[in-house]
Amino acid sequence: MPFTTEIPVTTDSLLDYLQNNFGQEVGVPQLLAAADEFKCSVVTVKKRLRDYKSGIGKWNLTVAEKLERTLAAPDASPAEPVAREKQNLVPEKDSNYVPFGNFNAVKKIIKSKVFYPTFITGLSGNGKTVSVEQACAQLNRELIRVNITIETDEDDLIGGFRLVDGSTVWHNGPVIEALERGAILLLDEIDLASNKILCLQPILEGKGVFLKKIGRFVRPAVGFNVIATANTKGKGSDDGRFIGTNVLNEAFLERFAITLEQEYPSPSTEIKILQNYGRGTGACEDNEFCKRLVDWAQVIRKTFYDGGIDEVISTRRLVHILKAYAIFGSKENALKYSINRFDDETKQAFLDLYDKIDIDFNKEVDQSTSV
């Protein structure tokens, strides 16, 4: 029924009534009962309880209590209600890693501790991500890596409320963790993101972020920086090689100070990478095999760049082949298993090419055929 005159009602009195009669979780029927009890409209009740709304037609009467405690102690971490161990987020050094490409530039940026958002683009498997990881490892800098997908949203990045032991508690997202720690935030495969990634725009300006859900502003600690990796330049993939990549907002891309283009390593560097990997992991110490693999990959890449084929052999794929050789003890199987992901025509062309490069491979295949 309509009310012509409302009796003033406070949030505290509403909380007392609802908690005593219905508990901590209430819905619209309970709010209607409160409106009847206090002779006011349900709209008034909803306004008084707006900070407690937890969903459509749902109110959690414990949420705002936690917010009040957080706001009363602005220097406290919003995740304090949850006891969490302080982890060391410095990546492990890889003794087999061989610096190449943009590694020195990335390392200088991280070492400077200047806020300088950096975009790294290049084909898959050419060391974009590992260069950032190893630069942080060598400089003893913490790294927080986030793998971006089209589903990644503000809650995934910034944080949100989580249900812990029956209580709703704020949890920092990886972005807030990196901001507060002064860590490097690595946004991996950022060109897979949707427009939900735009929540990071103020952060890419180095201004920090206001956590509207808990009413707290987080400023970046010294050393915080954002590095993004992508297979494209944020303009989508016209050739369809990187399906799922999206055209990113121009204003978002403009907030990255520089773009580094990552190429595959030179032949001599790539041979060293394979040799280091083979010796360091025990995968394969056949230096001649490493050289033949690199020669093979170089011919394929040249043909790819010239538009002759649609597939390419990455440095990562060469490492996969070495590992397969260690497991199966056969070059033939190592190559076949590692390139089976390609269509039959491409796979056979790659095998035929390697057959011409490595004479020993011919002998091995002949032996396996005769057996």
Side-chain angles (χ1 to χ4, degrees), residues 2 44 64 70 73 109 158 179 183 271 362:
T44 298
T70 301
I109 291 169
I158 304 300
L179 273 168
I271 290 172
N362 291 321

Side-chain angles (χ1 to χ4, degrees), residues 53-116:
K53 191 172 179 63
S54 58
I56 299 176
K58 296 180 181 179
W59 288 261
N60 185 322
L61 306 183
T62 65
V63 172
E65 293 177 8
K66 297 182 184 299
L67 296 185
E68 288 177 5
R69 287 200 293 272
T70 301
L71 294 173
D75 293 333
S77 166
E80 276 186 353
V82 181
R84 296 190 299 174
E85 180 184 353
K86 182 77 171 180
Q87 295 177 296
N88 179 9
L89 301 180
V90 177
E92 291 185 8
K93 289 183 181 179
D94 184 354
S95 59
N96 301 314
Y97 179 71
V98 179
F100 72 94
N102 296 303
F103 177 79
N104 288 334
V106 170
K107 188 174 179 179
K108 285 180 180 178
I109 291 169
I110 295 173
K111 185 178 181 179
S112 73
K113 294 192 176 181
V114 173
F115 181 73
Y116 203 63

Side-chain angles (χ1 to χ4, degrees), residues 233-282:
K233 293 184 179 180
K235 305 295 185 181
S237 177
D238 292 334
D239 59 9
R241 287 181 54 78
F242 302 107
I243 190 167
T245 56
N246 297 302
V247 177
L248 299 180
N249 183 283
E250 184 66 22
F252 178 80
L253 291 172
E254 186 63 21
R255 283 166 168 79
F256 286 92
I258 59 172
T259 297
L260 300 176
E261 295 178 318
Q262 179 83 347
E263 304 289 344
Y264 287 114
S266 66
S268 60
T269 299
E270 197 161 44
I271 290 172
K272 188 175 181 181
I273 290 172
L274 296 186
Q275 290 176 342
N276 278 12
Y277 179 84
R279 286 194 297 268
T281 63

Side-chain angles (χ1 to χ4, degrees), residues 89-152:
L89 301 180
V90 177
E92 291 185 8
K93 289 183 181 179
D94 184 354
S95 59
N96 301 314
Y97 179 71
V98 179
F100 72 94
N102 296 303
F103 177 79
N104 288 334
V106 170
K107 188 174 179 179
K108 285 180 180 178
I109 291 169
I110 295 173
K111 185 178 181 179
S112 73
K113 294 192 176 181
V114 173
F115 181 73
Y116 203 63
T118 302
F119 195 101
I120 307 175
T121 181
L123 293 177
S124 178
N126 68 359
K128 298 183 296 296
T129 300
V130 72
S131 67
V132 180
E133 291 177 343
Q134 288 307 302
C136 286
Q138 292 185 20
L139 295 170
N140 197 36
R141 293 292 309 282
E142 289 193 313
L143 173 72
I144 296 180
R145 174 182 172 181
V146 183
N147 286 83
I148 304 297
T149 73
I150 196 171
E151 301 296 334
T152 302

Side-chain angles (χ1 to χ4, degrees), residues 189-208:
E189 310 290 357
I190 198 170
D191 51 353
L192 295 176
S194 70
N195 59 4
K196 296 173 184 176
I197 201 77
L198 295 180
C199 66
L200 296 182
Q201 289 205 168
I203 292 164
L204 287 171
E205 295 171 357
K207 298 178 180 178

Side-chain angles (χ1 to χ4, degrees), residues 182-238:
I184 301 300
L185 177 66
L186 176 58
L187 302 174
D188 216 10
E189 310 290 357
I190 198 170
D191 51 353
L192 295 176
S194 70
N195 59 4
K196 296 173 184 176
I197 201 77
L198 295 180
C199 66
L200 296 182
Q201 289 205 168
I203 292 164
L204 287 171
E205 295 171 357
K207 298 178 180 178
V209 62
F210 181 74
L211 304 177
K212 54 183 179 290
K213 294 182 180 179
I214 61 173
R216 189 165 77 89
F217 188 78
V218 180
R219 299 184 185 279
V222 176
F224 170 73
N225 200 10
V226 180
I227 299 178
T229 66
N231 296 130
T232 70
K233 293 184 179 180
K235 305 295 185 181
S237 177
D238 292 334

